Structures are given as C-alpha cells and as structure tokens.
Amino acid sequence: MIICDIKVVPSSGKQGFKRDKSGGLVCYLKSAPERGAANAELIKLVASACNLTQADVVLIAGATCR
C-alpha cells in the first residue's frame, strides 16, 4: 500500500499533475466538486498515471472537504 498526499484543485479548466514549490503534488481537475465528480475524476487520473485499475485507488481523507 502506498499513501500519497495530493492537493486537489477542482474546476481548474485543465487536467494534470504538478509539483508545488514545497515539493508536494498538486492535481488539477476539470470537474467541479459537486456530487463526487471531482473525486471520480481524481481516482481515474491517479489510476491512469500509476497504471492501476480504478478499484485499486482509494480516497482516505478529503472526500467531502479539502
């Protein structure tokens, strides 16, 4: 199991990952944080980037708030 801390920026108009100034991982999502759309997009993007299935990716915290 790997635990990764990702700061998510929903409704950013673009999709992808970037490192911030402190070395943390930031994920930009096109979806708005409504009805789980941003969470679903995040899971799909992380699974794709790590060559995993979406069932292998789990949100531990932040599913309902930043």
Side-chain angles (χ1 to χ4, degrees):
M1 177 189 323
I2 297 173
I3 298 175
C4 184
D5 185 26
I6 303 172
K7 179 178 173 155
V8 177
V9 181
S11 302
S12 68
K14 58 184 176 180
Q15 188 180 50
F17 293 99
K18 186 177 179 183
R19 289 276 209 191
D20 64 4
K21 292 179 181 180
S22 64
L25 190 60
V26 179
C27 181
Y28 296 95
L29 302 175
K30 292 180 181 179
S31 299
E34 297 172 352
R35 295 184 295 258
N39 292 336
E41 185 181 354
L42 176 64
I43 289 171
K44 187 175 181 180
L45 191 61
V46 169
S48 175
C50 296
N51 202 16
L52 300 169
T53 64
Q54 291 182 27
D56 292 333
V57 179
V58 178
L59 294 178
I60 296 175
T64 57
C65 65
R66 286 184 177 238

